[in-house]
Amino acid sequence: MVEIAYYTVTGQTRRFIKKTELDAYEIDDADPYHDMDQPFILIVPAYDDNMMDSVIDFLNFGSNKENLVGVIGTGNRNFNQLYIHTAKDIANSLKAPILYDFEFNGTPTDVARVKEIVANYESTEA
Ligand SMILES: Cc1cc2nc3c(=O)[nH]c(=O)nc-3n(C[C@H](O)[C@H](O)[C@H](O)COP(=O)(O)O)c2cc1C
């Protein structure tokens, strides 16, 4: 089963996760050294690179880089060409696909699409 790890600074991504009712691991600034130990999707908002140290520490820990199967980017389209740049940078550097993107805490459509992506991933793995 594919797991989910996510990061949040202002709580929008956490609100999104709650709406999906999916189990998910929240990357913790106080201790980002958590090994997912199985395939997972990363959901990550976009911020300046210097605000992403916990996510980078998390990805560099244990087998997380190897177990990352895809990235879902969140952001704000007002940032134009920088929209979801953090997710894109991580996906490019770790050669993982961008599976989806949405703004803020997501619309009902975003919630449904992400649940579908997780469910489909599970069915192709089975
Ligand atoms: C200081 C700051 C910088 C941001 N930079 C970007 C950005 O470069 N690109 C983008 O798409 N969104 C950007 N955003 C928007 C956030 O990524 C977006 O609001 C996201 O939903 C926040 O998720 P969170 O509440 O889980 O931290 C920025 C927000 C803040 C407060």
Side-chain angles (χ1 to χ4, degrees), residues 44-95:
V44 67
Y47 286 103
D48 296 344
D49 292 351
N50 62 10
M51 294 176 70
M52 284 296 142
D53 289 351
S54 297
V55 176
I56 302 308
D57 289 344
F58 165 80
L59 287 170
N60 282 326
F61 188 71
S63 53
N64 287 338
K65 270 187 197 161
E66 291 74 29
N67 278 324
L68 179 69
V69 299
V71 184
I72 294 177
T74 85
N76 174 346
R77 285 197 169 83
N78 289 339
F79 284 86
N80 297 310
Q81 74 274 20
L82 285 178
Y83 176 59
I84 68 157
H85 74 90
T86 302
K88 285 180 176 171
D89 290 348
I90 290 170
N92 282 339
S93 71
L94 297 183
K95 310 217 180 325

Side-chain angles (χ1 to χ4, degrees), residues 101-119:
D101 64 86
F102 61 87
E103 292 184 281
F104 309 115
N105 61 83
T107 63
T109 303
D110 297 327
V111 171
R113 286 290 295 117
V114 168
K115 289 177 83 159
E116 236 171 69
I117 288 164
V118 172

Side-chain angles (χ1 to χ4, degrees), residues 34-53:
H34 173 85
D35 194 348
M36 295 298 285
D37 215 21
Q38 50 196 313
F40 71 97
I41 292 169
L42 176 71
I43 306 184
V44 67
Y47 286 103
D48 296 344
D49 292 351
N50 62 10
M51 294 176 70
M52 284 296 142
D53 289 351

